[in-house]
Amino acid sequence: MRPPPWPGDRLPSRTQIGQECGVGENVVRRAQELLISQGLLEGRAGSGTYVAEPRQRVRVVRSAARERRDGSPFRADMRDLGRAGDWESRTDAKVPAPADIAARLGIAEGGLCVRTTYEFLADGKPVQLSTSWEPYGLTAGTLVVLPEGGPHAGAGVVKRMAAIGVTISHAVEQPEPRTATAEEASLLGIQKAALVTHIRRTYYSDDGRPVETADIVVPVAHCEIVYEIPINR
């Protein structure tokens, strides 16, 4: 009987595994793709399939309490886990809103927005992607028009909006499972079509107006999502 493989070991070919297990190569391929999506195996182009090195999953907490922290909620979350949290971003102003984003923001299709894309890092490794959209008319001419620029750079949506007199009362999140696109897989360092959780989040002001919406992508193999629900006494 073949001894169990260790992290870093190369697996036999699919043909060999299929012969030993009495199944077809397609069955082996689907099984390997599932294990790759879960982070247990990794494929290397031109080399084969290997047992992945163990990687501790990062706990991503979704909670109202995180918005009351000073500075970046993500950086504070990572600090609580003993990790260094950071991110890379790119902002484009006056981007026409596509139909789905316009509907979420309650503006006309093609209405101008400030779009910021993020790659969040834990100890230098990517753990989350996000694309944020804010109505340009809401922040134009203010010090917070650029989420990652000016005196309130990186402070988070709630604190930035508060700086211009907009009070955010609540956020709505809709998480859905799906597979990663090729671009997302490349940025996150995971296999194409690996499982991710896609969160559609929208912040609302106290008068019910949507002020920001974002698409957040979290890789299942690297992160676990936990929702903290406050109980009013």
Side-chain angles (χ1 to χ4, degrees):
M1 183 175 179
R2 184 189 301 275
W6 290 85
D9 285 354
R10 182 179 183 275
L11 297 185
S13 68
R14 290 173 182 168
T15 300
Q16 186 175 350
I17 294 176
Q19 290 173 347
E20 292 181 2
C21 298
V23 297
E25 288 188 39
N26 285 338
V27 174
V28 178
R29 176 180 56 80
R30 289 196 296 270
Q32 288 184 346
E33 288 174 349
L34 175 61
L35 293 173
I36 287 173
S37 72
Q38 295 173 342
L40 300 176
L41 297 179
E42 60 180 23
R44 302 178 188 175
S47 179
T49 303
Y50 292 76
V51 179
E53 295 288 343
R55 178 172 174 177
Q56 184 179 6
R57 297 172 79 199
V58 173
R59 171 166 287 199
V60 177
V61 179
R62 316 299 299 173
S63 167
R66 67 194 297 274
E67 300 292 353
R68 295 195 292 270
R69 294 170 163 177
D70 294 331
S72 161
F74 175 79
R75 188 169 281 153
D77 287 346
M78 294 301 103
R79 186 168 58 247
D80 289 348
L81 296 172
R83 295 171 177 259
D86 204 354
W87 61 86
E88 298 176 357
S89 66
R90 173 182 172 178
T91 297
D92 297 293
K94 299 184 179 180
V95 178
D100 62 326
I101 297 297
R104 284 155 60 176
L105 289 174
I107 62 177
E109 182 178 353
L112 297 182
C113 290
V114 176
R115 180 185 63 195
T116 305
T117 56
Y118 293 91
E119 183 177 357
F120 291 95
L121 311 171
D123 293 338
K125 296 181 179 179
V127 294
Q128 181 177 305
L129 303 176
S130 178
T131 302
S132 166
W133 298 78
E134 298 177 359
Y136 180 70
L138 177 65
T139 58
T142 73
L143 294 176
V144 301
V145 64
L146 300 178
E148 298 301 319
H152 301 285
V157 177
V158 174
K159 292 184 180 298
R160 287 179 47 250
M161 293 300 168
I164 59 173
V166 176
T167 301
I168 292 180
S169 63
H170 67 286
V172 175
E173 293 194 347
Q174 179 184 350
E176 294 180 349
R178 65 169 173 82
T179 56
T181 66
E183 181 181 7
E184 291 166 347
S186 177
L187 291 171
L188 290 168
I190 58 178
Q191 292 292 316
K192 181 181 177 182
L195 295 176
V196 299
T197 300
H198 178 184
I199 303 173
R200 293 178 177 86
R201 181 201 65 204
T202 303
Y203 281 110
Y204 294 85
S205 63
D206 54 4
D207 61 0
R209 177 183 180 181
V211 300
E212 188 262 6
T213 193
D215 290 286
I216 303 166
V217 178
V218 182
V220 172
H222 296 168
C223 301
E224 60 181 11
I225 299 175
V226 177
Y227 279 85
E228 184 178 285
I229 302 173
I231 305 298
N232 294 326
R233 296 180 180 273

